[in-house]
Amino acid sequence: MSHVGNSLDFIQERSSIFLAHVQQDADGQWLPHLLDDHLRGVAALAESFATGFDAGDWAKLAGLWHDLGKYRPAFQRYIRSVSGYDAHIETTLGRVDHSTVGALHAIEKMKGVGRILAYLIAGHHAGLPDWQSAEAPAASLAHRLKQTDLLAETLAQAPPADILNAPPPTSSPGGQRYHALWIRLLFSCLVDADFLDTEQFMSPEKAGLRGQYPALAELEPRFEAYMTALTARADDTPVNQMRALVLDRCRNAAEQMPGLFSLTVPTGGGKTLASLAFALHHARRHGKRRILYVIPYTSIIEQTADVFRGVFGEDAVLEHHSNFDSERETPRSRLACENWDTSLIVTTNVQFFESLFAARPSRTRKLHNILDSVVILDEAQLLPPEFLTPILSTIRELSGHYGVSFVLCTATQPALASQRGFDWRFDGLDDVREIMGDATAVQELHTSLRRVEVSLPADLHAPTSWEALAAELATHPRVLCIVDRRDDARLLHGLLPTGAVHLSGLMCGQHRADVIAMIKERLVADEPLRVISTQLVEAGVDLDFPVVYRALAGLDSIAQAAGRCNREGRLFNLGRVVVFAPPTEPPAGHLRQARDAGRQLLQRRPSDPLAPELFTEYFQSLYWRKGMEGLDREGIQALLKNNSKLEFSFRTAAERFQLIPEMQAPVIVRYGDSERLLAQLARPGDALDRKTLRQLQRYVVNIPRRIHQRLLADGAIEERQPGVYVQVAPLYDPNVGLQVEQTVKYEPDDLIV
């Protein structure tokens, strides 16, 4: 990349000079980013990114050809006009298509296999396209490749021969790998290189902020120092002895060759720090570049990121999720979230897996930085069954061909091994190594860490009324009760004596965080405390009650609820977990199927309902209830299936792969500091303040779209800016959160948390 002159006259004298970008310096002089330089710069960067998976020659060619369309006279007139570079040129041109030309050139040079590069180049701004599309035929790659006149117009400008006639790749296109994933990874290399080369020219001060996070080699000594101090001040209890054992086995297992691992440890057994120890040692031993900690819920991610910051310091942890506290955001962290070019990342299932199936450049540019990493999948039992087949397929590919070691970390290990039937097959994860040892070792750990006794009702089909349950709960001074539905939580809370605490997804994130902090304080102070919650407390929220009630549910949910009971093992006797049949049915779909699978297993009255060996049978029953089609509900595999014609539906797959269905809509509620922030929110027509919007994420509640539309029509909420909805009517209760009419029937998935 070079800047050639600041003079307009110089450019006008050189008709052979083509621009990729232009900008003004502090003195008002125009600086040209020459197209030749941009293409070569992107090619070099993309090649370096893809070398790790032996595809550097493909990425280099994509970089050289991605902006060939900018040689078109129409584009050169456009960039001079809209930039003001040549202010005397008058044009009414809109945006000029500059991405189709490189795709056409790839087909001309490489015939059928050129489609690989055509997908990358045609999509490097708008996103990876479908080969054919009934919904948007003009956006399909097949349609765009019919515009051959664009290529002829471009070639007439005589682009440099070393760019136009660069030699074809010599490496095999993906080998025998999953072509669709290989293409998406190449796309990631191209678009990240394009962003970075452009940024280096347009915003060199921003580019200078990248790459300033500490390397993994710096983090391991910090971790060892932290663990030494933690061990020194820990009480010598049976629970802490078992945690030390878990930690030791994680360190030893890190020496094993990269691949697939599981870490099966009862809740409260120290999985978070132990799995981090494995990741750090494994990364050093095998030269891995980064660690990704992937977590299902934002309520867990915030807690985990805080733990990691306590270990490594504020400067070492990149926390990437929609609910991130903007007060902690810096220009450096904002840039690192774009492409994950850092050492330790804590993110969500949604961010991680949706990015792997995404089509848009902004979502996919981070993918190449997942390679040669250690990925901890925390609470692995919460991998969404409806997308299990494409998720497991991608995990297999990343582990088998791209140097990624995965750790399935949970107290309730799902049944993910491959299975075969007479007329069906389930392609799961094989050769998964259990860090804790064989099945006997896992059972011994479970027995050693047993801290609760589970009580089942005499009849698992006979419901207990809410009134009877409330009366029973009122006899316990300190008790947690977990139900599946938001309206159940609110109803039961209303039946308890004054002072009971409520937790559900109808409370905004800040409200929930405040309540959880208060609960922890009261538990430490040994104060009376009755809490009614949805299952949002079941994964990763460190609570420790002597008694926990759980509405009949899947076996994994019951085990997670048990993890909030006698967590530290301080009770003289075992903690008590009471399972009850509620008077309402779980929502149709996954929750009801999980309840039915759990009830079927519990009807056999096992001596230990939480024994590890039961979970394989439970998850098999749950998955088979859905059927093979139910494990790929949206047909993602068919859209991305390997085929000799390289006809993929990238955009459609991305649209369908949504872990959180778009059945809900957000409302910014009136709670805490949101009043002050809302006063700062731009009025209609003003530019939105990004920082304020990020801060307001802490005060969002998601509700079903049809209820959202009704509240909007009634004037209870208003659209302050496009897509930004704010509570107007007094609907938010300081105890139970957003209130809507109790008679409204929620959609099944809206009642989960």
Side-chain angles (χ1 to χ4, degrees):
M1 186 276 291
S2 63
H3 299 172
V4 181
N6 294 335
S7 165
L8 178 60
D9 293 335
F10 179 83
I11 297 298
Q12 288 175 326
E13 291 171 4
R14 295 283 302 277
S15 60
S16 62
I17 292 216
F18 296 90
L19 304 176
H21 313 96
V22 292
Q23 69 160 328
Q24 283 182 306
D25 64 14
D27 298 323
Q29 293 293 310
W30 287 105
L31 302 177
H33 191 190
L34 301 189
L35 180 53
D36 302 0
D37 291 339
H38 176 57
L39 295 180
R40 294 185 182 106
V42 172
L45 273 175
E47 180 182 24
S48 69
F49 295 155
T51 298
F53 60 103
D54 301 323
D57 48 357
W58 289 86
K60 178 180 179 180
L61 208 54
L64 286 174
W65 294 348
H66 81 286
D67 271 355
L68 281 181
K70 288 188 175 181
Y71 285 105
R72 292 177 59 202
F75 182 85
Q76 291 300 311
R77 289 196 299 270
Y78 167 75
I79 192 172
R80 284 166 166 80
S81 173
V82 298
S83 68
Y85 194 96
D86 278 2
H88 65 284
I89 294 179
E90 295 182 4
T91 179
T92 57
L93 288 173
R95 298 185 68 86
V96 177
D97 179 355
H98 68 272
S99 57
T100 301
V101 171
L104 289 163
H105 186 63
I107 297 295
E108 181 176 272
K109 286 288 186 180
M110 301 172 60
K111 308 306 178 186
V113 76
R115 288 185 182 180
I116 292 173
L117 296 180
Y119 279 113
L120 311 181
I121 295 168
H124 79 273
H125 280 301
L128 282 167
D130 291 347
W131 173 251
Q132 295 279 13
S133 175
E135 291 76 18
S140 70
L141 184 59
H143 177 83
R144 292 177 65 179
L145 291 177
K146 295 176 182 178
Q147 303 176 65
T148 54
D149 58 314
L150 299 181
L151 179 59
E153 179 187 350
T154 301
L155 296 180
Q157 308 308 309
D162 68 303
I163 292 175
L164 204 59
N165 300 316
T170 57
S171 63
S172 175
Q176 298 302 313
R177 303 175 191 173
Y178 186 35
H179 284 130
L181 177 60
W182 185 78
I183 291 172
R184 289 200 299 277
L185 290 171
L186 273 179
F187 185 67
S188 169
C189 296
L190 172 64
V191 297
D192 195 28
D194 190 22
F195 274 113
L196 292 175
D197 188 75
T198 302
E199 179 182 84
Q200 184 64 50
F201 171 76
M202 300 294 292
S203 304
E205 70 290 342
K206 183 185 292 186
L209 293 173
R210 294 189 182 275
Q212 295 185 10
Y213 280 82
L216 286 180
E218 299 176 53
L219 299 186
E220 194 172 13
R222 298 185 195 181
F223 178 79
E224 294 303 332
Y226 177 88
M227 294 306 296
T228 298
L230 182 66
T231 302
R233 63 176 181 267
D235 296 333
D236 187 22
T237 65
V239 170
N240 283 333
Q241 291 170 10
M242 287 300 103
R243 288 171 178 166
L245 173 65
V246 172
L247 179 64
D248 186 56
R249 290 188 181 175
C250 281
R251 284 176 168 147
N252 291 336
E255 297 293 318
Q256 298 182 37
M257 293 301 294
L260 301 174
F261 298 86
S262 58
L263 178 59
T264 309
V265 176
T267 301
K271 292 190 298 295
T272 299
L273 290 174
S275 60
L276 182 58
F278 171 91
L280 286 166
H281 288 288
H282 192 70
R284 173 179 50 79
R285 176 69 176 80
H286 299 288
K288 301 303 179 187
R289 298 186 299 161
R290 55 185 49 84
I291 295 168
L292 292 99
Y293 217 95
V294 182
I295 299 174
Y297 298 140
T298 54
S299 58
I300 315 173
I301 197 174
E302 292 165 347
Q303 177 175 280
T304 302
D306 281 340
V307 170
F308 289 174
R309 277 188 282 265
V311 175
F312 301 114
E314 192 79 25
D315 68 322
V317 182
L318 178 65
E319 187 177 349
H320 187 190
H321 58 92
S322 61
N323 211 30
F324 181 55
D325 183 358
S326 61
E327 291 298 321
R328 276 184 159 147
E329 185 180 57
T330 65
R332 185 190 63 165
S333 68
R334 189 159 56 246
L335 291 172
C337 283
E338 294 175 353
N339 66 352
W340 286 358
D341 184 17
T342 184
S343 300
L344 178 58
I345 301 144
V346 185
T347 191
T348 59
N349 282 359
V350 170
Q351 186 65 240
F352 182 77
F353 287 113
E354 288 191 2
S355 292
L356 281 167
F357 288 89
R360 290 189 290 114
S362 60
R363 292 295 300 273
T364 57
R365 63 180 291 197
K366 65 175 76 73
L367 297 189
H368 70 93
N369 278 326
I370 294 174
L371 309 188
D372 285 320
S373 63
V374 184
V375 176
I376 310 293
L377 297 177
D378 193 29
E379 304 296 353
Q381 80 282 358
L382 294 176
L383 290 175
E386 294 82 1
F387 296 99
L388 197 60
T389 296
I391 284 175
L392 296 186
S393 176
T394 303
I395 289 175
R396 286 196 306 272
E397 287 296 315
L398 289 172
S399 174
H401 298 293
Y402 300 103
V404 182
S405 285
F406 283 91
V407 181
L408 304 165
C409 187
T410 177
T412 56
Q413 205 63 240
L416 300 180
S418 296
Q419 301 285 331
R420 300 289 185 270
F422 175 73
D423 58 351
W424 58 270
R425 59 181 288 172
F426 171 63
D427 293 322
L429 302 180
D430 299 318
D431 301 318
V432 178
R433 287 160 282 173
E434 172 55 51
I435 291 173
M436 295 310 300
D438 59 16
T440 300
V442 172
Q443 178 60 51
E444 288 175 352
L445 180 66
H446 167 76
T447 302
S448 299
L449 280 173
R450 185 168 179 251
R451 288 154 290 172
V452 302
E453 184 175 33
V454 179
S455 172
L456 301 174
D459 185 351
L460 289 165
H461 290 271
T464 300
S465 71
W466 294 124
E467 290 77 10
L469 180 62
E472 189 172 337
L473 293 173
T475 66
H476 298 285
R478 291 154 61 84
V479 63
L480 167 67
C481 180
I482 303 172
V483 295
D484 283 326
R485 303 165 56 116
R486 293 172 174 179
D487 49 351
D488 288 351
R490 181 168 291 181
L491 174 62
L492 184 57
H493 174 265
L495 294 172
L496 285 173
T498 302
V501 177
H502 170 276
L503 271 171
S504 84
L506 287 175
M507 301 158 66
C508 67
Q510 185 61 54
H511 192 177
R512 295 196 305 268
D514 291 344
V515 170
I516 290 172
M518 177 270 291
I519 291 172
K520 291 180 177 181
E521 290 175 1
R522 291 177 63 178
L523 286 172
V524 170
D526 204 26
E527 297 177 3
L529 180 65
R530 301 183 184 98
V531 177
I532 309 299
S533 177
T534 58
Q535 66 262 44
L536 66 85
V537 299
E538 285 184 346
V541 181
D542 296 341
L543 302 179
D544 191 354
F545 282 83
V547 181
V548 171
Y549 279 65
R550 182 54 168 102
L552 183 61
L555 205 61
D556 56 332
S557 294
I558 294 172
Q560 291 294 333
R564 314 311 126 193
C565 183
N566 195 23
R567 186 178 183 87
E568 297 297 325
R570 294 194 177 101
L571 297 178
F572 181 76
N573 296 311
L574 293 175
R576 187 178 172 212
V577 175
V578 181
V579 177
F580 65 94
T584 55
E585 284 282 295
H590 175 72
L591 284 183
R592 190 172 299 177
Q593 291 170 346
R595 189 278 312 270
D596 292 345
R599 180 163 59 190
Q600 183 180 47
L601 201 60
L602 292 175
Q603 282 175 328
R604 294 174 3 207
R605 301 283 163 175
S607 57
D608 181 3
L610 304 182
E613 66 270 13
L614 292 181
F615 289 99
T616 297
E617 184 178 350
Y618 162 73
F619 278 108
Q620 286 178 343
S621 174
L622 177 60
Y623 296 157
W624 305 154
R625 284 172 185 270
K626 295 178 180 296
M628 290 300 101
E629 297 80 7
L631 300 180
D632 184 9
R633 184 183 63 192
E634 301 297 330
I636 305 297
Q637 291 291 87
L639 295 171
L640 301 175
K641 185 179 180 181
N642 275 0
N643 62 90
S644 59
K645 294 182 178 180
L646 297 169
E647 296 179 355
F648 301 108
S649 298
F650 289 111
R651 183 164 298 182
T652 300
E655 291 170 351
R656 292 185 184 179
F657 194 94
Q658 302 291 324
L659 298 190
I660 300 177
E662 294 184 359
M663 298 167 58
Q664 298 188 334
V667 176
I668 298 170
V669 298
R670 306 277 176 168
Y671 172 83
D673 205 33
S674 70
E675 294 282 0
R676 178 185 64 81
L677 294 170
L678 285 170
Q680 298 175 9
L681 192 61
R683 295 193 175 120
D686 292 343
L688 285 172
D689 177 11
R690 183 179 183 277
K691 181 178 179 180
T692 301
L693 282 175
R694 287 296 301 271
Q695 290 175 313
L696 283 167
Q697 285 287 335
R698 303 283 300 168
Y699 303 95
V700 164
V701 173
N702 290 301
I703 59 176
R705 285 194 177 277
R706 59 194 183 86
I707 297 178
H708 191 275
Q709 292 168 358
R710 177 175 61 77
L711 294 176
L712 186 63
D714 291 345
I717 63 176
E718 68 177 14
E719 190 173 17
R720 183 70 60 85
Q721 287 280 347
V724 180
Y725 297 90
V726 175
Q727 169 202 340
V728 177
L731 299 176
Y732 200 82
D733 184 274
N735 295 311
V736 296
L738 190 65
Q739 297 189 99
V740 293
E741 294 177 5
Q742 297 300 305
T743 57
V744 173
K745 297 293 184 183
Y746 287 87
E747 297 294 331
D749 288 343
D750 299 325
L751 294 160
I752 294 176
V753 294

